[in-house]
Amino acid sequence: MARKDEYKATEYPGIKQRISDGKYLAIIDLGRQPKLDKKTGLIVEKQCKTQKLFDTLKEAKAYQGENNKAKSSQKVSQVAGKVTFRQAIADYDAKYSKGWSASYAAQKKNQERRMIAYFGDTDVRKIDTLAIEEFFEWCRTPNEVYNTSLSNNTIEKYKTHMSDLWKFMKKGKKYGVTENVVTDADIGEIEKFEAEILTIEQVKYLLWYVTHCEKDYSVFSLLAIPVLAGLRRGELCGLRWKDIDFEKKVIDVAQQRMQAGSKTVVKVPKMGDDNGKTRFERRQRYAALPDTLAILLKKVKEQQAQFLGAEPGPEDYVYRTKMNMVKGDLPRPGKVSKRFKELQERCNKVREIKELEPFPVIRLHDLRHTFISMCINGKVDQLQVSANCGHRNEDRHLSTTIKVYWHDNDDRTEIREYIDNTFKDVDITIPDLSESVLDDLVK
């Protein structure tokens, strides 16, 4: 801005005359504008001004007059002087949140916290497509506010949420929003995960490893429930002992525990309606409980009874580590994949000692892919595999007879028999692990 000792005041506010050459400086107040705070990396609103030099006082006054006229026109059009991003989010939630399930609302709130941390009290009219893209880049990089970055897949969900917000604001005059600036925002290339399918021999080795080398039997359920029954991670975390029917040899997949930011929410399985009146609407289903898996789960239950000093109750969760039971808490679903990665690292350490090739590091979800591939390749009825895994047959290119008239009878005998026959030669007896496992293997 101009230095005081270089200019003198005129009788018109906001206009000064330069002493050196007599030219006139017009200063325009632009109001509060969103600016990047270089220290925090957040968008903050700061009072901004601009200035322009003119040869005559008449030109300076005309420039000021045009700016004042634009401000006056904005007021006459009944557009609000300012609606903050924070307020717009609150209005959006008030309008639509009544129709959201508890888990969907938690997901929305988690996304909105990060959005508000960045945009805060920024005037929504001043947020353009470039600002949206800068927000996506901010999400992609750990910073002082959030030390975890988001993947492009997750950012795509943020984009959908923000696009809905802008559609909402376009309907109301008070926001002054005339276009959806989110639509053309680029989030970068979407990551596509390719499933890594294990061979049957690799699965056999993993089953041998967990039963012969791991002292905490929670890894039995961590590995075996997805690869021998086809459950998803959230369904593994949401499984309770009352859902395991050892007599009928089925697993009642009734719910899932999912991570929503720092919180954990319990909801019905994927694609299900939390408020559904029937099991079909809630997407609850029965999965096979092969004898191989049942033996492992009984061992898990016995060890939990030792740790707890009492038999685990029907409402207790199946997947809990020793540390969870000592602390009296539950594993965070977001950390379960990390536990599986650590399991693979320990397994590969044993393979290294035995001079075997290391296993490729896979995702926990790849165990579910492996289960489905084994069953399909083993000629198990595809409709039963689909029903077991919670896939929606009505979305498939099937005949009208199948889509309309076929109903799942919850019989998983074919799957159970195939899995048990495939893994009947695996030694899952549990040895005495009182001594160091790795020392014993070296011998």
Side-chain angles (χ1 to χ4, degrees):
M1 297 298 290
R3 289 177 54 184
K4 291 183 179 180
D5 56 354
E6 295 178 352
Y7 293 82
K8 64 180 181 180
T10 68
E11 60 181 304
Y12 299 100
I15 299 179
K16 297 181 180 181
Q17 186 176 26
R18 192 157 67 183
I19 297 173
S20 61
D21 56 11
K23 291 187 176 182
Y24 292 89
L25 184 73
I27 302 171
I28 301 297
D29 188 349
L30 299 176
R32 298 181 69 81
Q33 298 279 349
K35 297 291 180 182
L36 181 66
D37 187 326
K38 294 182 179 180
K39 292 183 178 180
T40 64
L42 300 178
I43 294 293
V44 296
E45 289 217 340
K46 295 183 178 180
Q47 196 71 25
C48 297
K49 295 182 180 181
T50 188
Q51 57 188 24
K52 191 173 182 179
L53 201 60
F54 297 93
D55 291 329
T56 66
L57 178 61
K58 183 178 180 181
E59 291 173 320
K61 289 170 60 180
Y63 177 66
Q64 263 196 346
E66 290 175 1
N67 180 69
N68 292 336
K69 184 178 179 180
K71 287 182 178 179
S72 176
S73 175
Q74 188 181 67
K75 290 180 181 179
V76 171
S77 67
Q78 296 183 350
V79 174
K82 172 183 177 180
V83 178
T84 67
F85 183 86
R86 189 191 310 274
Q87 182 59 53
I89 283 286
D91 294 346
Y92 171 80
D93 288 351
K95 175 72 173 178
Y96 297 112
S97 62
K98 291 180 181 178
W100 297 343
S101 66
S103 58
Y104 187 65
Q107 178 185 343
K108 286 277 194 181
K109 286 295 183 182
N110 181 54
Q111 293 174 353
E112 290 171 358
R113 277 193 291 272
R114 193 177 287 249
M115 296 177 197
I116 292 172
Y118 187 82
F119 290 110
D121 293 322
T122 302
D123 188 337
V124 292
R125 294 170 302 172
K126 297 174 182 177
I127 300 175
D128 57 15
T129 300
L130 180 60
I132 300 296
E133 291 181 348
E134 289 172 346
F135 166 68
F136 293 154
E137 186 61 34
W138 180 75
C139 291
R140 200 174 286 113
T141 308
N143 51 68
E144 292 183 8
V145 182
Y146 286 94
N147 58 12
T148 56
S149 60
L150 301 181
S151 68
N152 281 359
N153 289 17
T154 302
I155 292 174
E156 187 177 32
K157 296 176 183 178
Y158 275 69
K159 181 177 180 179
T160 300
H161 188 165
M162 296 179 77
S163 182
D164 289 343
L165 172 63
W166 253 261
K167 288 178 184 177
F168 163 74
M169 289 193 292
K170 279 183 64 179
K171 298 176 183 178
K173 281 188 176 181
K174 79 171 188 176
Y175 304 101
V177 171
T178 58
E179 62 175 323
N180 191 334
V181 299
V182 183
T183 303
D184 295 328
D186 185 12
I187 66 172
E189 185 179 354
I190 302 298
E191 300 172 27
K192 299 296 183 183
F193 290 104
E194 292 293 334
E196 184 92 31
I197 307 299
L198 296 180
T199 66
I200 290 176
E201 290 306 313
Q202 287 174 322
V203 176
K204 288 180 177 181
Y205 183 88
L206 286 174
L207 290 170
W208 174 88
Y209 167 78
V210 295
T211 51
H212 286 72
C213 304
E214 293 283 334
K215 295 183 179 180
D216 185 343
Y217 297 172
S218 64
V219 295
F220 294 4
S221 49
L222 176 64
L223 169 69
I225 290 175
V227 83
L228 298 182
L231 271 62
R232 301 179 177 94
R233 183 182 73 177
E235 295 163 351
L236 161 68
C237 294
L239 197 63
R240 296 159 297 185
W241 285 114
K242 72 176 185 179
D243 302 323
I244 309 292
D245 193 326
F246 290 103
E247 291 185 6
K248 294 183 179 180
K249 298 184 178 182
V250 291
I251 300 172
D252 185 0
V253 187
Q255 65 177 33
Q256 59 176 328
R257 288 178 61 243
M258 299 183 65
Q259 197 76 33
S262 60
K263 297 182 179 179
T264 299
V265 296
V266 177
K267 58 172 293 183
V268 295
K270 187 176 181 179
M271 305 303 295
D273 180 0
D274 285 324
N275 300 316
K277 295 180 180 180
T278 66
R279 284 181 61 87
F280 177 78
E281 291 173 350
R282 296 190 295 272
R283 292 297 167 189
Q284 294 168 330
R285 67 188 191 278
Y286 290 99
L289 178 62
D291 290 340
T292 310
L293 177 56
I295 292 170
L296 294 174
L297 291 181
K298 287 177 180 178
K299 291 295 182 182
V300 172
K301 194 171 188 180
E302 289 173 8
Q303 190 180 65
Q304 284 190 5
Q306 293 175 5
F307 291 152
L308 295 170
E311 185 83 4
E315 298 292 337
D316 287 333
Y317 286 89
V318 174
Y319 178 67
R320 288 186 294 171
T321 67
K322 179 180 179 180
M323 188 59 66
N324 291 140
M325 286 179 278
V326 170
K327 291 184 175 181
D329 60 13
L330 293 173
R332 292 180 61 185
K335 297 288 187 182
V336 174
S337 294
K338 181 181 178 182
R339 296 286 175 265
F340 180 61
K341 182 179 179 181
E342 292 168 348
L343 170 63
Q344 294 177 85
E345 291 171 351
R346 294 193 298 272
C347 178
N348 275 331
K349 184 178 289 187
V350 171
R351 289 182 68 83
E352 181 182 358
I353 291 172
K354 295 173 72 68
E355 298 182 351
L356 297 173
E357 286 292 321
F359 274 173
V361 177
I362 65 171
R363 299 174 301 153
L364 179 63
H365 192 69
D366 289 339
L367 296 178
R368 173 177 160 88
H369 281 271
T370 297
F371 168 82
I372 294 172
S373 296
M374 288 191 303
C375 290
I376 298 300
N377 292 334
K379 309 300 182 184
V380 177
D381 180 79
Q382 291 191 27
L383 290 175
Q384 284 301 324
V385 177
S386 177
N388 184 96
C389 296
H391 291 149
R392 299 176 62 165
N393 284 324
E394 64 266 30
D395 292 339
R396 298 173 179 273
H397 299 292
L398 301 173
S399 68
T400 301
T401 304
I402 296 298
K403 286 194 289 187
V404 177
Y405 296 100
W406 181 81
H407 296 282
D408 179 29
N409 62 4
D410 300 326
D411 183 4
R412 303 291 182 260
T413 304
E414 190 174 345
I415 296 176
R416 289 200 314 269
E417 290 180 348
Y418 168 73
I419 292 295
D420 284 330
N421 184 60
T422 301
F423 296 101
K424 64 183 179 181
D425 59 336
V426 179
D427 179 12
I428 57 174
T429 57
I430 301 174
D432 179 11
L433 299 182
S434 58
E435 301 297 327
S436 170
V437 178
L438 296 184
D439 288 345
D440 181 61
L441 287 169
V442 172
K443 298 174 184 176

